[in-house]
Amino acid sequence: MSTKSIYIDEHAGSDSATGLTPADALCSALRALELYGDDEAKPELLVRKQGNQDFEPIAKAQLKKVQKKYEADKAKAAKGAAKAAVDADKIKAKEAEELKRLEDAKKIELVLDESLPEAKAIKIGVAKEHRGQRVAVSAWVHRLRVQGKDMMFAVLRDGTGYLQCVFTGRLCHTYDALTLTTESTIKVFGTLHPVPEGKNAPDGHELVVDYWTVLGKAPGGDEAFTNRLNAESNPDVLYDNRHLMIRGETASAVLKMRALVLRAFREFFYAEGLTEVNPPLMVQTQVEGGSTLFGFNYYGEEAYLTQSSQLYLETVLPAVGDSFTISQSFRAEKSHTRRHLSEFTHIESELAFITFDDLLNHLERMFDFVLDFVTQDPVGKKLLAELNPDFVRPQTPFRRMKYVDAIQWLNDNNVLKEDGTPFQVGDDIPEAPERKMTDTIGVPIFLTYFPREIKSFYMKRDPNDTRFTESVDVLIPNVGEIVGGSMRMAGHQELLDAYEREGMDPAPYYWYNDQRKYGTTEHGGYGLGLERFLAWLLNRYTVRECCLYPRFVGRCKP
């Protein structure tokens, strides 16, 4: 048998070549042995060191070194293959064992012990009241931990709280037990006991289970809940799966606190004697400027989603007196900031027969009442400690600062406009400088008396200087503006003149104008963004965390 010549060009060869011709030379002698070292006729290795040299037989010393490396690699590969084969056999055996275990588990049936006391169906939130009793709880599996073959721990969640359950013996051997997954729904029966000393569990107790059943099993494997969402998921994935994300402890706590805060605001309004009304969300007039209106076709007519219910609230003053609404408002602002939403919950109120000072005092009472309500409620106190343990309650009265004084503060502190020039009276103060001032001062501010040119057409002029309005923004550190309010124009002609200055047609506002014709009075009101209030109270980075399904630029699902 003739000897095969293998060509190796250490300068210009390639280890992806065949080495069978000089033009298709390999790059290394080791690769040549990998390809042809086990041939029955040992190949002759011809090496070229430089591009202008001839191919010559490989030096004996080099060949010996390469053969040693080749044999070592072969031995290592063989050892690895042997180990892989053993591992594969072990895996196969383990899979067979697990399959048999599952098949055997299907034969195990749990039977409800009728001799035990009847279990009372309860919610987890009231479990403390039933310690020492046999109860039944239906809930979702929030966390799951298997400890050996005869013990399993599950933390359940039903929206009212969390409950640790202990499963032992046969309860852990059933097919359902072996295949149980997080987010499955189950019903458990057992007795509530305080946890042993030195151990921890939600609310300091655990349910020792004596019987349980699966109500709805969640998938495992690739479809497992933990594979849909995790700490590394990017924001778009989290928003696409918001319906699953809200099951998390933080997100659900925010939603519970939101509900409590809404209740607090309502209780304040009731205590102040206000009546709740529900103005329309489909409108044909603007409140905050046409650039932020969402328009749609309403049976052939042009209509919009409301920016604010304020104008309608003013109309009910003569009918039901001071009033409020908690409704959705919509702003078509193409803002990507962490405090803007396209749809938000708007808490609005209108008050009759008041002065501007009355309005400011009312706002302070509202903040005091809501914070009292939340911090004195047992659930609210607990949630606030979990979500914002460093919360420091602001003291009233809030600092009051006129717009012209804010302009002076910005100039004194070298806070400039985007073009690098100082602020002047008449300039609108953008979000960033406003936040800079508020965060630096470090306390809530009533910023008052804005120029009429930068405020809405309906705002009452300051009787002492008609260049300004009796208006207020409530600014909160780390968030910025959360309330905007003002006294409203009371004079009919004054309002008509305002339309003319703004280039607006007064005709569509006939129903609003009539408030000044048929028994006008001094009145004022405000709007508060609930999500911004919550972002401040709960120290959330963005208002998007403070609503159920956030809507913002580019996001209208799920």
Side-chain angles (χ1 to χ4, degrees):
M1 185 177 290
S2 60
T3 301
K4 184 186 298 183
S5 294
I6 306 299
Y7 295 90
I8 302 158
D9 188 335
E10 294 181 351
H11 178 71
S14 170
D15 278 350
S16 62
T18 65
L20 297 176
T21 66
D24 199 26
L26 295 165
C27 182
S28 67
L30 180 61
R31 180 58 178 160
L33 292 182
E34 289 172 353
L35 291 174
Y36 307 109
D38 291 335
D39 287 1
E40 185 176 345
K42 298 300 180 184
E44 179 185 28
L45 304 187
L46 302 178
V47 180
R48 180 161 65 187
K49 299 288 186 181
Q50 298 294 335
N52 59 355
Q53 294 179 347
D54 293 331
F55 286 93
E56 297 180 352
I58 188 170
K60 291 183 179 180
Q62 183 182 2
L63 179 59
K64 185 176 181 181
K65 183 177 180 181
V66 172
Q67 284 177 328
K68 184 177 181 182
K69 171 71 171 146
Y70 172 61
E71 295 298 334
D73 288 349
K74 274 182 64 177
K76 184 177 180 181
K79 185 176 180 181
K83 184 177 185 302
V86 171
D87 289 345
D89 289 342
K90 286 182 178 179
I91 291 172
K92 190 174 181 180
K94 188 172 182 181
E95 288 176 347
E97 182 184 349
E98 182 63 20
L99 186 61
K100 183 179 184 305
R101 185 182 175 212
L102 289 175
E103 289 301 316
D104 291 343
K106 290 179 180 179
K107 302 172 187 176
I108 300 174
E109 293 186 11
L110 300 180
V111 179
L112 183 64
D113 188 345
E114 299 292 349
S115 68
L116 293 173
E118 183 177 355
K120 181 178 181 180
I122 66 166
K123 293 289 186 181
I124 293 174
V126 297
K128 278 186 178 180
E129 303 168 17
H130 298 277
R131 286 183 178 178
Q133 301 175 19
R134 189 164 183 266
V135 297
V137 175
S138 300
W140 287 265
V141 178
H142 188 64
R143 285 193 296 273
L144 185 63
R145 177 167 59 93
V146 176
Q147 188 170 309
K149 293 184 177 181
D150 294 312
M151 183 168 285
M152 182 171 72
F153 293 89
V155 174
L156 305 188
R157 178 192 76 241
D158 71 351
T160 69
Y162 299 89
L163 175 64
Q164 178 170 289
C165 299
V166 184
F167 303 75
T168 57
R170 282 173 59 84
L171 300 177
C172 306
H173 301 162
T174 66
Y175 181 80
D176 282 337
L178 298 182
T179 58
L180 189 62
T181 53
T182 56
E183 295 307 319
S184 296
T185 44
I186 65 175
K187 185 173 185 178
V188 293
F189 298 75
T191 306
L192 281 162
H193 297 283
V195 293
E197 188 175 348
K199 302 293 184 179
N200 292 311
D203 291 328
H205 56 220
E206 60 189 8
L207 184 75
V208 178
V209 180
D210 57 57
Y211 177 78
W212 70 287
T213 184
V214 173
L215 304 178
K217 187 171 290 184
D222 292 341
E223 277 292 298
F225 184 85
T226 50
N227 290 331
R228 293 285 296 273
L229 290 174
N230 56 61
E232 285 73 40
S233 298
N234 70 48
D236 280 339
V237 171
L238 296 179
Y239 287 127
D240 286 344
N241 291 278
R242 179 73 177 166
H243 60 295
L244 301 179
M245 185 182 173
I246 57 178
R247 299 184 181 199
E249 293 176 26
T250 298
S252 61
V254 170
L255 292 177
K256 290 176 184 178
M257 188 60 118
R258 178 187 168 102
L260 182 63
V261 168
L262 277 172
R263 180 180 162 199
F265 276 108
R266 278 197 166 90
E267 291 295 338
F268 168 74
F269 291 132
Y270 298 152
E272 293 272 316
L274 277 66
T275 300
E276 183 170 8
V277 294
N278 302 107
L281 302 184
M282 297 185 291
V283 301
Q284 291 185 308
T285 52
Q286 68 183 52
V287 182
E288 298 296 331
S291 65
T292 64
L293 287 166
F294 280 108
F296 65 95
N297 185 302
Y298 185 74
Y299 303 110
E301 293 185 88
E302 188 175 26
Y304 314 99
L305 295 177
T306 187
Q307 300 162 311
S308 165
S309 297
Q310 175 209 318
L311 305 189
Y312 292 97
L313 283 176
E314 290 186 51
T315 69
V316 304
L317 290 176
V320 300
D322 297 345
S323 60
F324 77 96
T325 187
I326 299 178
S327 307
Q328 299 303 96
S329 285
F330 305 85
R331 303 280 173 89
E333 293 180 277
K334 293 184 178 180
S335 299
H336 292 273
T337 75
R338 55 193 177 103
R339 70 173 195 170
H340 280 93
L341 291 168
S342 298
E343 176 187 0
F344 64 97
T345 301
H346 213 172
I347 300 174
E348 299 181 89
S349 174
E350 291 293 319
L351 310 167
F353 305 107
I354 64 168
T355 66
F356 188 43
D357 280 339
D358 291 335
L359 178 62
L360 300 184
N361 293 335
H362 169 93
L363 288 171
E364 286 177 337
R365 291 198 305 276
M366 180 177 71
F367 273 86
D368 271 338
F369 185 100
V370 170
L371 292 177
D372 278 345
F373 192 97
V374 169
T375 56
Q376 293 173 13
D377 181 271
V379 174
K381 185 176 181 180
K382 179 182 177 182
L383 291 174
L384 186 59
E386 292 174 2
L387 295 167
N388 187 10
D390 297 324
F391 177 72
V392 177
R393 177 174 175 163
Q395 298 300 309
T396 53
F398 290 162
R399 177 169 178 168
R400 301 187 184 191
M401 174 187 285
K402 291 187 176 182
Y403 162 88
V404 292
D405 296 325
I407 295 293
Q408 187 63 51
W409 189 97
L410 295 173
N411 291 333
D412 290 345
N413 288 272
N414 199 34
V415 179
L416 303 176
K417 294 191 287 188
E418 285 189 354
D419 62 6
T421 61
F423 282 93
Q424 297 180 349
V425 173
D427 290 334
D428 194 6
I429 304 176
E431 177 187 350
E434 181 184 83
R435 285 280 305 276
K436 172 71 173 176
M437 179 183 72
T438 309
D439 292 352
T440 301
I441 293 174
V443 296
I445 300 170
F446 280 167
L447 191 57
T448 58
Y449 295 102
F450 289 84
R452 66 185 188 186
E453 291 81 10
I454 64 173
K455 283 297 182 180
S456 299
F457 69 92
Y458 51 77
M459 292 190 178
K460 180 185 175 182
R461 307 295 181 246
D462 177 8
N464 297 315
D465 189 340
T466 56
R467 296 175 301 166
F468 300 94
T469 56
E470 288 191 329
S471 52
V472 59
D473 283 354
V474 181
L475 310 179
I476 298 289
N478 299 320
V479 176
E481 178 196 345
I482 62 173
V483 177
S486 76
M487 295 297 290
R488 319 306 192 189
M489 288 181 178
H492 185 255
Q493 188 57 50
E494 182 185 17
L495 184 58
L496 295 179
D497 292 343
Y499 290 129
E500 185 175 355
R501 278 194 305 272
E502 298 292 330
M504 297 169 60
D505 180 6
Y509 296 86
Y510 72 92
W511 50 273
Y512 182 67
N513 305 334
D514 277 352
Q515 306 309 307
R516 280 77 181 168
K517 289 174 64 175
Y518 298 98
T520 190
T521 181
E522 295 295 330
H523 64 289
Y526 56 90
L528 177 145
L530 175 64
E531 288 79 10
R532 290 188 183 181
F533 182 91
L534 288 168
W536 163 67
L537 180 66
L538 306 181
N539 193 30
R540 300 296 97 187
Y541 176 74
T542 171
V543 293
R544 298 173 187 178
E545 298 179 51
C546 300
C547 54
L548 184 56
Y549 292 104
R551 298 291 183 250
F552 51 91
V553 178
R555 170 65 55 178
C556 196
K557 65 178 182 181

